[in-house]
Amino acid sequence: MGDWFQSAAPVRVLVTGAAGQIGYSLVYSIAKGDVFGTSTPVALHLLDIPPMMGVLKGVQMELQDCAFPLLKDVLITDKEDEAFKDIDSAFLVGAMPRREGMERKDLLAANVRIFKSQGRALDKYAKKTVKVLVVGNPANTNALICSKYAPSIPKANFSAMTRLDHNRAIAQIAAKLALCPSQVHKMIIWGNHSSTQYPDVSQATVEMGGKEVSVGEALKDNAYLESEFVNVSHSGIFLYKNLI
């Protein structure tokens, strides 16, 4: 890919909270080509808060030491105008975690400030085609806030990490019916990524025997849908929280 690669414009990818554990793991997958493909050059924009800039400098140096063939540039900054400038994709990992004794309203207020500001930065500095994945919890709420304050960017360009719960629900139904996940459609997830999140199959369908039928009709097992199906979704969330 020699000459073409040297002249190809890189995909500019923002990771917020990049000095944290999740961001730290994510940047290496992006730099290796696991996310955008093994023939797509990338430039990383890494954003974190001022006290984490020393750590972020270490991340930058480690990425440079790896000499990833696809990695054209690594920008580290604590300034949104620099971080969001001309980006093609954004992984919004950084968010206020819920600390012991913190009221839910205080958590929401703190995240409103973060994602309101980042939404405005997207609107002002990012490409209008930017794709945004909100990872920081409460992901659904944060994605909604972010998109509200980026009115020039299509709502369809925003996705919340609740996609994980959506995929988990689809995978459960597919496994139960010995189908491929691609044969399960119209799954709905209500609520944020939490123990109160609810996977809803009331509109879901599956492809079976050459036709599309409702999940309820295909399974004929309401007890499973009301117990094990929901419980596995919640236990997956509990496991995920303990792993990180």
PDB file of all heavy atoms in Angstrom, residues 169-174 176-177 179 181 183-188 199-208 211-222 224-226 229:
ATOM      1  N   ALA A 169     -29.186  -9.119  24.279  1.00  0.00           N
ATOM      2  CA  ALA A 169     -30.559  -9.612  24.179  1.00  0.00           C
ATOM      3  C   ALA A 169     -30.772 -10.386  22.876  1.00  0.00           C
ATOM      4  O   ALA A 169     -31.392 -11.456  22.862  1.00  0.00           O
ATOM      5  CB  ALA A 169     -31.541  -8.444  24.270  1.00  0.00           C
ATOM      6  N   ILE A 170     -30.262  -9.841  21.780  1.00  0.00           N
ATOM      7  CA  ILE A 170     -30.370 -10.529  20.488  1.00  0.00           C
ATOM      8  C   ILE A 170     -29.666 -11.877  20.538  1.00  0.00           C
ATOM      9  O   ILE A 170     -30.196 -12.898  20.066  1.00  0.00           O
ATOM     10  CB  ILE A 170     -29.774  -9.651  19.366  1.00  0.00           C
ATOM     11  CG1 ILE A 170     -30.723  -8.489  19.050  1.00  0.00           C
ATOM     12  CG2 ILE A 170     -29.492 -10.470  18.107  1.00  0.00           C
ATOM     13  CD1 ILE A 170     -30.174  -7.509  18.037  1.00  0.00           C
ATOM     14  N   ALA A 171     -28.460 -11.895  21.122  1.00  0.00           N
ATOM     15  CA  ALA A 171     -27.679 -13.135  21.188  1.00  0.00           C
ATOM     16  C   ALA A 171     -28.398 -14.210  22.004  1.00  0.00           C
ATOM     17  O   ALA A 171     -28.355 -15.403  21.654  1.00  0.00           O
ATOM     18  CB  ALA A 171     -26.302 -12.850  21.788  1.00  0.00           C
ATOM     19  N   GLN A 172     -29.062 -13.799  23.086  1.00  0.00           N
ATOM     20  CA  GLN A 172     -29.806 -14.772  23.901  1.00  0.00           C
ATOM     21  C   GLN A 172     -30.934 -15.428  23.110  1.00  0.00           C
ATOM     22  O   GLN A 172     -31.119 -16.645  23.149  1.00  0.00           O
ATOM     23  CB  GLN A 172     -30.400 -14.071  25.123  1.00  0.00           C
ATOM     24  CG  GLN A 172     -29.411 -13.723  26.199  1.00  0.00           C
ATOM     25  CD  GLN A 172     -30.134 -13.196  27.413  1.00  0.00           C
ATOM     26  OE1 GLN A 172     -30.673 -13.963  28.217  1.00  0.00           O
ATOM     27  NE2 GLN A 172     -30.189 -11.883  27.538  1.00  0.00           N
ATOM     28  N   ILE A 173     -31.699 -14.595  22.395  1.00  0.00           N
ATOM     29  CA  ILE A 173     -32.817 -15.131  21.611  1.00  0.00           C
ATOM     30  C   ILE A 173     -32.299 -16.028  20.498  1.00  0.00           C
ATOM     31  O   ILE A 173     -32.839 -17.114  20.244  1.00  0.00           O
ATOM     32  CB  ILE A 173     -33.658 -13.975  21.022  1.00  0.00           C
ATOM     33  CG1 ILE A 173     -34.303 -13.156  22.154  1.00  0.00           C
ATOM     34  CG2 ILE A 173     -34.718 -14.515  20.068  1.00  0.00           C
ATOM     35  CD1 ILE A 173     -35.245 -13.942  23.052  1.00  0.00           C
ATOM     36  N   ALA A 174     -31.232 -15.585  19.828  1.00  0.00           N
ATOM     37  CA  ALA A 174     -30.659 -16.380  18.746  1.00  0.00           C
ATOM     38  C   ALA A 174     -30.186 -17.744  19.260  1.00  0.00           C
ATOM     39  O   ALA A 174     -30.438 -18.782  18.631  1.00  0.00           O
ATOM     40  CB  ALA A 174     -29.503 -15.621  18.097  1.00  0.00           C
ATOM     41  N   LYS A 176     -31.188 -19.344  21.945  1.00  0.00           N
ATOM     42  CA  LYS A 176     -32.339 -20.136  22.394  1.00  0.00           C
ATOM     43  C   LYS A 176     -33.038 -20.828  21.225  1.00  0.00           C
ATOM     44  O   LYS A 176     -33.527 -21.952  21.355  1.00  0.00           O
ATOM     45  CB  LYS A 176     -33.327 -19.208  23.116  1.00  0.00           C
ATOM     46  CG  LYS A 176     -34.460 -19.924  23.837  1.00  0.00           C
ATOM     47  CD  LYS A 176     -34.003 -20.577  25.114  1.00  0.00           C
ATOM     48  CE  LYS A 176     -35.181 -21.101  25.940  1.00  0.00           C
ATOM     49  NZ  LYS A 176     -34.721 -21.829  27.139  1.00  0.00           N
ATOM     50  N   LEU A 177     -33.049 -20.169  20.079  1.00  0.00           N
ATOM     51  CA  LEU A 177     -33.747 -20.708  18.904  1.00  0.00           C
ATOM     52  C   LEU A 177     -32.785 -21.327  17.887  1.00  0.00           C
ATOM     53  O   LEU A 177     -33.209 -21.719  16.795  1.00  0.00           O
ATOM     54  CB  LEU A 177     -34.549 -19.600  18.230  1.00  0.00           C
ATOM     55  CG  LEU A 177     -35.728 -19.052  19.039  1.00  0.00           C
ATOM     56  CD1 LEU A 177     -36.298 -17.803  18.377  1.00  0.00           C
ATOM     57  CD2 LEU A 177     -36.812 -20.118  19.194  1.00  0.00           C
ATOM     58  N   LEU A 179     -30.474 -19.889  16.111  1.00  0.00           N
ATOM     59  CA  LEU A 179     -30.419 -19.019  14.937  1.00  0.00           C
ATOM     60  C   LEU A 179     -29.154 -18.173  14.973  1.00  0.00           C
ATOM     61  O   LEU A 179     -28.452 -18.128  15.989  1.00  0.00           O
ATOM     62  CB  LEU A 179     -31.636 -18.087  14.912  1.00  0.00           C
ATOM     63  CG  LEU A 179     -33.016 -18.738  14.832  1.00  0.00           C
ATOM     64  CD1 LEU A 179     -34.103 -17.679  14.990  1.00  0.00           C
ATOM     65  CD2 LEU A 179     -33.191 -19.492  13.520  1.00  0.00           C
ATOM     66  N   PRO A 181     -27.574 -14.352  15.074  1.00  0.00           N
ATOM     67  CA  PRO A 181     -28.074 -13.059  15.546  1.00  0.00           C
ATOM     68  C   PRO A 181     -28.655 -12.191  14.433  1.00  0.00           C
ATOM     69  O   PRO A 181     -29.573 -11.399  14.670  1.00  0.00           O
ATOM     70  CB  PRO A 181     -26.817 -12.407  16.162  1.00  0.00           C
ATOM     71  CG  PRO A 181     -26.001 -13.571  16.619  1.00  0.00           C
ATOM     72  CD  PRO A 181     -26.213 -14.630  15.575  1.00  0.00           C
ATOM     73  N   GLN A 183     -30.599 -12.998  12.296  1.00  0.00           N
ATOM     74  CA  GLN A 183     -31.982 -13.417  12.024  1.00  0.00           C
ATOM     75  C   GLN A 183     -32.967 -12.882  13.063  1.00  0.00           C
ATOM     76  O   GLN A 183     -34.154 -13.174  13.000  1.00  0.00           O
ATOM     77  CB  GLN A 183     -32.072 -14.949  11.973  1.00  0.00           C
ATOM     78  CG  GLN A 183     -31.335 -15.564  10.787  1.00  0.00           C
ATOM     79  CD  GLN A 183     -31.308 -17.076  10.867  1.00  0.00           C
ATOM     80  OE1 GLN A 183     -30.487 -17.665  11.582  1.00  0.00           O
ATOM     81  NE2 GLN A 183     -32.218 -17.718  10.148  1.00  0.00           N
ATOM     82  N   VAL A 184     -32.460 -12.093  14.013  1.00  0.00           N
ATOM     83  CA  VAL A 184     -33.317 -11.502  15.053  1.00  0.00           C
ATOM     84  C   VAL A 184     -33.439 -10.007  14.774  1.00  0.00           C
ATOM     85  O   VAL A 184     -32.434  -9.312  14.593  1.00  0.00           O
ATOM     86  CB  VAL A 184     -32.715 -11.723  16.458  1.00  0.00           C
ATOM     87  CG1 VAL A 184     -33.651 -11.167  17.540  1.00  0.00           C
ATOM     88  CG2 VAL A 184     -32.441 -13.208  16.699  1.00  0.00           C
ATOM     89  N   HIS A 185     -34.677  -9.510  14.750  1.00  0.00           N
ATOM     90  CA  HIS A 185     -34.915  -8.118  14.371  1.00  0.00           C
ATOM     91  C   HIS A 185     -35.808  -7.399  15.392  1.00  0.00           C
ATOM     92  O   HIS A 185     -36.537  -8.030  16.148  1.00  0.00           O
ATOM     93  CB  HIS A 185     -35.584  -8.040  13.000  1.00  0.00           C
ATOM     94  CG  HIS A 185     -34.882  -8.819  11.929  1.00  0.00           C
ATOM     95  ND1 HIS A 185     -33.672  -8.428  11.401  1.00  0.00           N
ATOM     96  CD2 HIS A 185     -35.208  -9.984  11.303  1.00  0.00           C
ATOM     97  CE1 HIS A 185     -33.281  -9.305  10.491  1.00  0.00           C
ATOM     98  NE2 HIS A 185     -34.202 -10.260  10.416  1.00  0.00           N
ATOM     99  N   LYS A 186     -35.731  -6.071  15.389  1.00  0.00           N
ATOM    100  CA  LYS A 186     -36.638  -5.182  16.129  1.00  0.00           C
ATOM    101  C   LYS A 186     -36.561  -5.368  17.650  1.00  0.00           C
ATOM    102  O   LYS A 186     -37.564  -5.229  18.354  1.00  0.00           O
ATOM    103  CB  LYS A 186     -38.094  -5.357  15.662  1.00  0.00           C
ATOM    104  CG  LYS A 186     -38.291  -5.095  14.183  1.00  0.00           C
ATOM    105  CD  LYS A 186     -39.734  -5.366  13.761  1.00  0.00           C
ATOM    106  CE  LYS A 186     -39.903  -5.224  12.269  1.00  0.00           C
ATOM    107  NZ  LYS A 186     -41.284  -5.563  11.831  1.00  0.00           N
ATOM    108  N   MET A 187     -35.377  -5.681  18.151  1.00  0.00           N
ATOM    109  CA  MET A 187     -35.181  -5.756  19.600  1.00  0.00           C
ATOM    110  C   MET A 187     -35.164  -4.342  20.175  1.00  0.00           C
ATOM    111  O   MET A 187     -34.631  -3.417  19.562  1.00  0.00           O
ATOM    112  CB  MET A 187     -33.866  -6.465  19.920  1.00  0.00           C
ATOM    113  CG  MET A 187     -33.580  -6.643  21.397  1.00  0.00           C
ATOM    114  SD  MET A 187     -34.728  -7.787  22.192  1.00  0.00           S
ATOM    115  CE  MET A 187     -34.224  -9.338  21.420  1.00  0.00           C
ATOM    116  N   ILE A 188     -35.755  -4.173  21.346  1.00  0.00           N
ATOM    117  CA  ILE A 188     -35.809  -2.864  22.007  1.00  0.00           C
ATOM    118  C   ILE A 188     -35.188  -2.983  23.401  1.00  0.00           C
ATOM    119  O   ILE A 188     -35.403  -3.978  24.100  1.00  0.00           O
ATOM    120  CB  ILE A 188     -37.259  -2.360  22.136  1.00  0.00           C
ATOM    121  CG1 ILE A 188     -37.910  -2.200  20.756  1.00  0.00           C
ATOM    122  CG2 ILE A 188     -37.308  -1.025  22.890  1.00  0.00           C
ATOM    123  CD1 ILE A 188     -39.394  -1.911  20.810  1.00  0.00           C
ATOM    124  N   PRO A 199     -34.841  -5.453  28.607  1.00  0.00           N
ATOM    125  CA  PRO A 199     -34.873  -5.885  27.207  1.00  0.00           C
ATOM    126  C   PRO A 199     -36.304  -6.261  26.818  1.00  0.00           C
ATOM    127  O   PRO A 199     -36.944  -7.094  27.472  1.00  0.00           O
ATOM    128  CB  PRO A 199     -33.952  -7.110  27.213  1.00  0.00           C
ATOM    129  CG  PRO A 199     -34.085  -7.673  28.599  1.00  0.00           C
ATOM    130  CD  PRO A 199     -34.373  -6.511  29.516  1.00  0.00           C
ATOM    131  N   ASP A 200     -36.807  -5.669  25.767  1.00  0.00           N
ATOM    132  CA  ASP A 200     -38.213  -5.794  25.378  1.00  0.00           C
ATOM    133  C   ASP A 200     -38.323  -6.510  24.028  1.00  0.00           C
ATOM    134  O   ASP A 200     -37.848  -6.017  23.009  1.00  0.00           O
ATOM    135  CB  ASP A 200     -38.810  -4.385  25.295  1.00  0.00           C
ATOM    136  CG  ASP A 200     -40.270  -4.369  24.884  1.00  0.00           C
ATOM    137  OD1 ASP A 200     -40.850  -5.454  24.682  1.00  0.00           O
ATOM    138  OD2 ASP A 200     -40.830  -3.270  24.756  1.00  0.00           O
ATOM    139  N   VAL A 201     -38.976  -7.673  24.025  1.00  0.00           N
ATOM    140  CA  VAL A 201     -39.140  -8.447  22.781  1.00  0.00           C
ATOM    141  C   VAL A 201     -40.544  -8.312  22.202  1.00  0.00           C
ATOM    142  O   VAL A 201     -40.896  -9.031  21.266  1.00  0.00           O
ATOM    143  CB  VAL A 201     -38.824  -9.944  23.006  1.00  0.00           C
ATOM    144  CG1 VAL A 201     -37.384 -10.144  23.453  1.00  0.00           C
ATOM    145  CG2 VAL A 201     -39.795 -10.567  24.010  1.00  0.00           C
ATOM    146  N   SER A 202     -41.335  -7.403  22.732  1.00  0.00           N
ATOM    147  CA  SER A 202     -42.739  -7.315  22.311  1.00  0.00           C
ATOM    148  C   SER A 202     -42.893  -7.035  20.818  1.00  0.00           C
ATOM    149  O   SER A 202     -43.891  -7.437  20.204  1.00  0.00           O
ATOM    150  CB  SER A 202     -43.477  -6.250  23.122  1.00  0.00           C
ATOM    151  OG  SER A 202     -42.923  -4.966  22.888  1.00  0.00           O
ATOM    152  N   GLN A 203     -41.901  -6.345  20.228  1.00  0.00           N
ATOM    153  CA  GLN A 203     -41.956  -6.049  18.788  1.00  0.00           C
ATOM    154  C   GLN A 203     -40.945  -6.879  17.990  1.00  0.00           C
ATOM    155  O   GLN A 203     -40.879  -6.766  16.770  1.00  0.00           O
ATOM    156  CB  GLN A 203     -41.674  -4.560  18.554  1.00  0.00           C
ATOM    157  CG  GLN A 203     -42.568  -3.608  19.330  1.00  0.00           C
ATOM    158  CD  GLN A 203     -44.031  -3.775  18.964  1.00  0.00           C
ATOM    159  OE1 GLN A 203     -44.384  -3.843  17.795  1.00  0.00           O
ATOM    160  NE2 GLN A 203     -44.881  -3.825  19.983  1.00  0.00           N
ATOM    161  N   ALA A 204     -40.169  -7.690  18.692  1.00  0.00           N
ATOM    162  CA  ALA A 204     -39.084  -8.418  18.042  1.00  0.00           C
ATOM    163  C   ALA A 204     -39.603  -9.579  17.199  1.00  0.00           C
ATOM    164  O   ALA A 204     -40.587 -10.230  17.536  1.00  0.00           O
ATOM    165  CB  ALA A 204     -38.093  -8.932  19.080  1.00  0.00           C
ATOM    166  N   THR A 205     -38.894  -9.811  16.099  1.00  0.00           N
ATOM    167  CA  THR A 205     -39.234 -10.921  15.208  1.00  0.00           C
ATOM    168  C   THR A 205     -37.980 -11.722  14.882  1.00  0.00           C
ATOM    169  O   THR A 205     -36.857 -11.248  15.070  1.00  0.00           O
ATOM    170  CB  THR A 205     -39.859 -10.414  13.897  1.00  0.00           C
ATOM    171  OG1 THR A 205     -38.898  -9.592  13.215  1.00  0.00           O
ATOM    172  CG2 THR A 205     -41.131  -9.620  14.155  1.00  0.00           C
ATOM    173  N   VAL A 206     -38.203 -12.938  14.371  1.00  0.00           N
ATOM    174  CA  VAL A 206     -37.094 -13.777  13.921  1.00  0.00           C
ATOM    175  C   VAL A 206     -37.438 -14.381  12.561  1.00  0.00           C
ATOM    176  O   VAL A 206     -38.609 -14.538  12.216  1.00  0.00           O
ATOM    177  CB  VAL A 206     -36.782 -14.915  14.920  1.00  0.00           C
ATOM    178  CG1 VAL A 206     -36.257 -14.362  16.229  1.00  0.00           C
ATOM    179  CG2 VAL A 206     -38.003 -15.780  15.165  1.00  0.00           C
ATOM    180  N   GLU A 207     -36.397 -14.693  11.809  1.00  0.00           N
ATOM    181  CA  GLU A 207     -36.576 -15.362  10.527  1.00  0.00           C
ATOM    182  C   GLU A 207     -36.502 -16.872  10.760  1.00  0.00           C
ATOM    183  O   GLU A 207     -35.467 -17.394  11.153  1.00  0.00           O
ATOM    184  CB  GLU A 207     -35.472 -14.940   9.552  1.00  0.00           C
ATOM    185  CG  GLU A 207     -35.433 -13.462   9.248  1.00  0.00           C
ATOM    186  CD  GLU A 207     -34.190 -13.082   8.465  1.00  0.00           C
ATOM    187  OE1 GLU A 207     -33.653 -13.949   7.726  1.00  0.00           O
ATOM    188  OE2 GLU A 207     -33.736 -11.930   8.586  1.00  0.00           O
ATOM    189  N   MET A 208     -37.619 -17.537  10.498  1.00  0.00           N
ATOM    190  CA  MET A 208     -37.672 -18.995  10.691  1.00  0.00           C
ATOM    191  C   MET A 208     -38.500 -19.612   9.580  1.00  0.00           C
ATOM    192  O   MET A 208     -39.588 -19.120   9.255  1.00  0.00           O
ATOM    193  CB  MET A 208     -38.286 -19.355  12.052  1.00  0.00           C
ATOM    194  CG  MET A 208     -37.434 -18.988  13.250  1.00  0.00           C
ATOM    195  SD  MET A 208     -38.163 -19.552  14.814  1.00  0.00           S
ATOM    196  CE  MET A 208     -38.026 -21.331  14.640  1.00  0.00           C
ATOM    197  N   LYS A 211     -39.940 -17.440   6.787  1.00  0.00           N
ATOM    198  CA  LYS A 211     -40.856 -16.330   7.071  1.00  0.00           C
ATOM    199  C   LYS A 211     -40.459 -15.652   8.378  1.00  0.00           C
ATOM    200  O   LYS A 211     -39.659 -16.175   9.158  1.00  0.00           O
ATOM    201  CB  LYS A 211     -42.302 -16.809   7.144  1.00  0.00           C
ATOM    202  CG  LYS A 211     -42.577 -17.832   8.233  1.00  0.00           C
ATOM    203  CD  LYS A 211     -44.056 -18.229   8.226  1.00  0.00           C
ATOM    204  CE  LYS A 211     -44.347 -19.214   9.354  1.00  0.00           C
ATOM    205  NZ  LYS A 211     -45.785 -19.591   9.394  1.00  0.00           N
ATOM    206  N   GLU A 212     -41.032 -14.472   8.608  1.00  0.00           N
ATOM    207  CA  GLU A 212     -40.731 -13.712   9.807  1.00  0.00           C
ATOM    208  C   GLU A 212     -41.864 -13.875  10.815  1.00  0.00           C
ATOM    209  O   GLU A 212     -43.025 -13.618  10.503  1.00  0.00           O
ATOM    210  CB  GLU A 212     -40.555 -12.232   9.449  1.00  0.00           C
ATOM    211  CG  GLU A 212     -39.905 -11.414  10.554  1.00  0.00           C
ATOM    212  CD  GLU A 212     -39.402 -10.065  10.061  1.00  0.00           C
ATOM    213  OE1 GLU A 212     -38.505 -10.035   9.205  1.00  0.00           O
ATOM    214  OE2 GLU A 212     -39.921  -9.045  10.542  1.00  0.00           O
ATOM    215  N   VAL A 213     -41.512 -14.318  12.010  1.00  0.00           N
ATOM    216  CA  VAL A 213     -42.515 -14.533  13.055  1.00  0.00           C
ATOM    217  C   VAL A 213     -42.089 -13.809  14.318  1.00  0.00           C
ATOM    218  O   VAL A 213     -40.910 -13.488  14.506  1.00  0.00           O
ATOM    219  CB  VAL A 213     -42.725 -16.040  13.353  1.00  0.00           C
ATOM    220  CG1 VAL A 213     -43.202 -16.778  12.121  1.00  0.00           C
ATOM    221  CG2 VAL A 213     -41.420 -16.670  13.875  1.00  0.00           C
ATOM    222  N   SER A 214     -43.034 -13.537  15.198  1.00  0.00           N
ATOM    223  CA  SER A 214     -42.703 -12.856  16.447  1.00  0.00           C
ATOM    224  C   SER A 214     -41.876 -13.773  17.340  1.00  0.00           C
ATOM    225  O   SER A 214     -41.955 -15.008  17.246  1.00  0.00           O
ATOM    226  CB  SER A 214     -43.976 -12.441  17.181  1.00  0.00           C
ATOM    227  OG  SER A 214     -44.647 -13.579  17.692  1.00  0.00           O
ATOM    228  N   VAL A 215     -41.080 -13.160  18.205  1.00  0.00           N
ATOM    229  CA  VAL A 215     -40.274 -13.939  19.130  1.00  0.00           C
ATOM    230  C   VAL A 215     -41.152 -14.784  20.041  1.00  0.00           C
ATOM    231  O   VAL A 215     -40.864 -15.947  20.316  1.00  0.00           O
ATOM    232  CB  VAL A 215     -39.357 -13.014  19.961  1.00  0.00           C
ATOM    233  CG1 VAL A 215     -38.746 -13.755  21.148  1.00  0.00           C
ATOM    234  CG2 VAL A 215     -38.246 -12.443  19.089  1.00  0.00           C
ATOM    235  N   GLY A 216     -42.263 -14.179  20.502  1.00  0.00           N
ATOM    236  CA  GLY A 216     -43.181 -14.922  21.361  1.00  0.00           C
ATOM    237  C   GLY A 216     -43.718 -16.165  20.692  1.00  0.00           C
ATOM    238  O   GLY A 216     -43.790 -17.240  21.297  1.00  0.00           O
ATOM    239  N   GLU A 217     -44.099 -16.030  19.433  1.00  0.00           N
ATOM    240  CA  GLU A 217     -44.619 -17.177  18.684  1.00  0.00           C
ATOM    241  C   GLU A 217     -43.549 -18.230  18.459  1.00  0.00           C
ATOM    242  O   GLU A 217     -43.803 -19.435  18.534  1.00  0.00           O
ATOM    243  CB  GLU A 217     -45.174 -16.689  17.341  1.00  0.00           C
ATOM    244  CG  GLU A 217     -45.765 -17.792  16.475  1.00  0.00           C
ATOM    245  CD  GLU A 217     -46.235 -17.285  15.118  1.00  0.00           C
ATOM    246  OE1 GLU A 217     -46.320 -16.047  14.940  1.00  0.00           O
ATOM    247  OE2 GLU A 217     -46.506 -18.123  14.242  1.00  0.00           O
ATOM    248  N   ALA A 218     -42.330 -17.773  18.189  1.00  0.00           N
ATOM    249  CA  ALA A 218     -41.238 -18.706  17.929  1.00  0.00           C
ATOM    250  C   ALA A 218     -40.827 -19.469  19.184  1.00  0.00           C
ATOM    251  O   ALA A 218     -40.575 -20.677  19.139  1.00  0.00           O
ATOM    252  CB  ALA A 218     -40.037 -17.953  17.361  1.00  0.00           C
ATOM    253  N   LEU A 219     -40.785 -18.772  20.330  1.00  0.00           N
ATOM    254  CA  LEU A 219     -40.336 -19.402  21.568  1.00  0.00           C
ATOM    255  C   LEU A 219     -41.432 -20.191  22.279  1.00  0.00           C
ATOM    256  O   LEU A 219     -41.185 -21.245  22.841  1.00  0.00           O
ATOM    257  CB  LEU A 219     -39.785 -18.334  22.520  1.00  0.00           C
ATOM    258  CG  LEU A 219     -38.359 -17.836  22.281  1.00  0.00           C
ATOM    259  CD1 LEU A 219     -38.040 -16.688  23.226  1.00  0.00           C
ATOM    260  CD2 LEU A 219     -37.340 -18.959  22.478  1.00  0.00           C
ATOM    261  N   LYS A 220     -42.609 -19.589  22.327  1.00  0.00           N
ATOM    262  CA  LYS A 220     -43.725 -20.179  23.082  1.00  0.00           C
ATOM    263  C   LYS A 220     -43.298 -20.479  24.524  1.00  0.00           C
ATOM    264  O   LYS A 220     -43.567 -21.556  25.064  1.00  0.00           O
ATOM    265  CB  LYS A 220     -44.246 -21.458  22.401  1.00  0.00           C
ATOM    266  CG  LYS A 220     -44.857 -21.213  21.024  1.00  0.00           C
ATOM    267  CD  LYS A 220     -45.369 -22.512  20.418  1.00  0.00           C
ATOM    268  CE  LYS A 220     -46.132 -22.262  19.117  1.00  0.00           C
ATOM    269  NZ  LYS A 220     -45.304 -21.660  18.062  1.00  0.00           N
ATOM    270  N   ASP A 221     -42.611 -19.520  25.120  1.00  0.00           N
ATOM    271  CA  ASP A 221     -42.083 -19.729  26.474  1.00  0.00           C
ATOM    272  C   ASP A 221     -42.035 -18.383  27.200  1.00  0.00           C
ATOM    273  O   ASP A 221     -40.973 -17.783  27.359  1.00  0.00           O
ATOM    274  CB  ASP A 221     -40.688 -20.352  26.393  1.00  0.00           C
ATOM    275  CG  ASP A 221     -40.161 -20.813  27.753  1.00  0.00           C
ATOM    276  OD1 ASP A 221     -40.780 -20.460  28.781  1.00  0.00           O
ATOM    277  OD2 ASP A 221     -39.123 -21.509  27.780  1.00  0.00           O
ATOM    278  N   ASN A 222     -43.180 -17.904  27.657  1.00  0.00           N
ATOM    279  CA  ASN A 222     -43.242 -16.618  28.356  1.00  0.00           C
ATOM    280  C   ASN A 222     -42.469 -16.639  29.663  1.00  0.00           C
ATOM    281  O   ASN A 222     -41.924 -15.609  30.092  1.00  0.00           O
ATOM    282  CB  ASN A 222     -44.699 -16.232  28.623  1.00  0.00           C
ATOM    283  CG  ASN A 222     -45.398 -15.766  27.357  1.00  0.00           C
ATOM    284  OD1 ASN A 222     -44.748 -15.304  26.416  1.00  0.00           O
ATOM    285  ND2 ASN A 222     -46.717 -15.907  27.314  1.00  0.00           N
ATOM    286  N   TYR A 224     -39.648 -18.069  30.303  1.00  0.00           N
ATOM    287  CA  TYR A 224     -38.246 -17.771  29.998  1.00  0.00           C
ATOM    288  C   TYR A 224     -38.053 -16.283  29.741  1.00  0.00           C
ATOM    289  O   TYR A 224     -37.126 -15.665  30.267  1.00  0.00           O
ATOM    290  CB  TYR A 224     -37.795 -18.577  28.773  1.00  0.00           C
ATOM    291  CG  TYR A 224     -36.518 -18.049  28.162  1.00  0.00           C
ATOM    292  CD1 TYR A 224     -35.282 -18.298  28.751  1.00  0.00           C
ATOM    293  CD2 TYR A 224     -36.549 -17.271  26.991  1.00  0.00           C
ATOM    294  CE1 TYR A 224     -34.116 -17.786  28.209  1.00  0.00           C
ATOM    295  CE2 TYR A 224     -35.388 -16.762  26.438  1.00  0.00           C
ATOM    296  CZ  TYR A 224     -34.168 -17.020  27.044  1.00  0.00           C
ATOM    297  OH  TYR A 224     -33.027 -16.513  26.500  1.00  0.00           O
ATOM    298  N   LEU A 225     -38.943 -15.694  28.957  1.00  0.00           N
ATOM    299  CA  LEU A 225     -38.812 -14.281  28.597  1.00  0.00           C
ATOM    300  C   LEU A 225     -38.950 -13.364  29.809  1.00  0.00           C
ATOM    301  O   LEU A 225     -38.337 -12.301  29.864  1.00  0.00           O
ATOM    302  CB  LEU A 225     -39.859 -13.910  27.546  1.00  0.00           C
ATOM    303  CG  LEU A 225     -39.641 -14.514  26.154  1.00  0.00           C
ATOM    304  CD1 LEU A 225     -40.828 -14.195  25.252  1.00  0.00           C
ATOM    305  CD2 LEU A 225     -38.348 -14.003  25.533  1.00  0.00           C
ATOM    306  N   GLU A 226     -39.753 -13.784  30.782  1.00  0.00           N
ATOM    307  CA  GLU A 226     -40.012 -12.947  31.951  1.00  0.00           C
ATOM    308  C   GLU A 226     -39.020 -13.180  33.082  1.00  0.00           C
ATOM    309  O   GLU A 226     -38.999 -12.417  34.049  1.00  0.00           O
ATOM    310  CB  GLU A 226     -41.438 -13.185  32.445  1.00  0.00           C
ATOM    311  CG  GLU A 226     -42.500 -12.696  31.453  1.00  0.00           C
ATOM    312  CD  GLU A 226     -43.903 -13.138  31.836  1.00  0.00           C
ATOM    313  OE1 GLU A 226     -44.052 -13.768  32.918  1.00  0.00           O
ATOM    314  OE2 GLU A 226     -44.839 -12.859  31.066  1.00  0.00           O
ATOM    315  N   PHE A 229     -34.350 -14.657  30.693  1.00  0.00           N
ATOM    316  CA  PHE A 229     -33.945 -13.709  29.647  1.00  0.00           C
ATOM    317  C   PHE A 229     -33.579 -12.352  30.257  1.00  0.00           C
ATOM    318  O   PHE A 229     -32.543 -11.773  29.962  1.00  0.00           O
ATOM    319  CB  PHE A 229     -35.083 -13.565  28.638  1.00  0.00           C
ATOM    320  CG  PHE A 229     -34.850 -12.513  27.587  1.00  0.00           C
ATOM    321  CD1 PHE A 229     -33.824 -12.645  26.667  1.00  0.00           C
ATOM    322  CD2 PHE A 229     -35.673 -11.397  27.512  1.00  0.00           C
ATOM    323  CE1 PHE A 229     -33.609 -11.679  25.684  1.00  0.00           C
ATOM    324  CE2 PHE A 229     -35.475 -10.434  26.539  1.00  0.00           C
ATOM    325  CZ  PHE A 229     -34.439 -10.570  25.625  1.00  0.00           C
TER     326      PHE A 229
END
